[in-house]
Amino acid sequence: MTSIGTGYDLSASTYSPDGRIFQVEYAAKAVENSGTAIGLRVKGGVVLAVEKLVHSKLLVPGANRRIQTIDKHIGMATSGLLADGRHMANRGRDEAASYREVYNSPSPLKIIVDRLGLYAQAYTVYSSVRPFGLSTILGAVDKDGPQLYVIEPSGVFFGYRGAAVGKGRQLAKTELEKLQIGELTMRQAVKEAARIIYLVHEDAKEKEFELEMSWIGDETGGVHLPIPKELQQEAEAAAKASIEVFE
């Protein structure tokens, strides 16, 4: 019995006869049409990087950022629908603030990820809403050390040493697997993250893009901050040079 074209994709609350929820699969497709985002959990902290595709030369550089701060020690990078990413970030901030208010201490990342995963999953069970067209990478340094998680549109989440989502995720994952991630310093991870983003962008032959990067860890005193301008420029220059050599 086929489930294609028979109306089983009209609601997120309807299963197809073979047990699929097409709305969730469509949400995953929205992520695949977006720029690549990666995260690296190294020995000193976490580095996040996003390929933000520039669709118009009239856009102000730095506008519509895809990396946001959830709490002082938690950063979020998203791939998918930009507005969904903003909404999820605001929800994450609410959860982090709620934890601080109740327990008077910074939230472990696992708690925030668990709550956001449940929130995303709730949007897959009601016919009056749609799933988030969003994959989210969350990184932090908490009482358990550096942490990195990915939340998928279905609400499922996993912990990673290196993660990639978006259009170029397969190539990015291949490059991440080649690295000795646990042995990298944060500054080395910044350069590797920039190289991987430039590599996947070049492979897809996309238009112009803007590289967004941030880090949390020893270099920042455990606070989520943008990469210093000089270091990012150095990393981007090295990435461009490596692409030219590769060609």
Side-chain angles (χ1 to χ4, degrees), residues 27-220:
K29 289 293 183 182
V31 176
E32 291 178 12
N33 291 328
S34 180
T36 307
I38 65 173
L40 292 85
R41 191 188 82 183
V42 297
K43 60 183 178 182
V46 174
V47 174
L48 302 175
V50 174
E51 170 202 20
K52 188 180 77 176
L53 301 176
V54 178
H55 301 289
S56 171
K57 293 182 179 179
L58 301 178
L59 284 172
V60 176
N64 300 322
R65 295 187 62 82
R66 286 188 174 271
I67 295 181
Q68 303 190 57
T69 298
I70 303 305
D71 201 347
K72 287 191 294 185
H73 65 298
I74 301 175
M76 171 189 283
T78 62
S79 181
L81 303 180
L82 182 59
D84 286 13
R86 288 176 180 161
H87 179 81
M88 189 65 78
N90 285 333
R91 178 72 181 197
R93 294 185 187 110
D94 289 344
E95 295 290 358
S98 174
Y99 189 95
R100 278 184 179 271
E101 183 178 352
V102 173
Y103 298 102
N104 196 30
S105 66
S107 169
L109 181 59
K110 176 68 183 303
I111 299 296
I112 300 300
V113 170
D114 185 60
R115 293 180 180 181
L116 289 181
L118 288 171
Y119 184 68
Q121 190 272 337
Y123 275 68
T124 70
V125 298
Y126 299 107
S127 60
S128 58
V129 297
R130 65 162 175 78
F132 289 102
L134 186 74
S135 282
T136 306
I137 300 177
L138 286 132
V141 176
D142 57 26
K143 62 184 180 64
D144 298 317
Q147 303 291 319
L148 185 71
Y149 287 88
V150 174
I151 305 174
E152 302 293 351
S154 63
V156 69
F157 59 87
F158 297 97
Y160 287 91
R161 287 187 291 271
V165 296
K167 182 176 291 187
R169 72 188 187 286
Q170 291 297 346
L171 177 57
K173 285 180 180 178
T174 300
E175 291 299 315
L176 286 169
E177 288 170 357
K178 294 178 183 177
L179 301 175
Q180 298 293 326
I181 293 179
E183 299 175 7
L184 295 177
T185 66
M186 291 188 69
R187 289 181 176 268
Q188 288 172 333
V190 167
K191 293 183 179 181
E192 291 294 348
R195 180 186 65 81
I196 291 171
I197 291 293
Y198 269 87
L199 183 64
V200 298
H201 181 81
E202 183 71 18
D203 183 69
K205 304 297 182 185
E206 287 285 356
K207 297 180 181 179
E208 293 300 312
F209 82 103
E210 192 176 325
L211 176 62
E212 290 184 29
M213 302 186 77
S214 69
W215 57 358
I216 320 131
D218 296 343
E219 296 278 352
T220 67

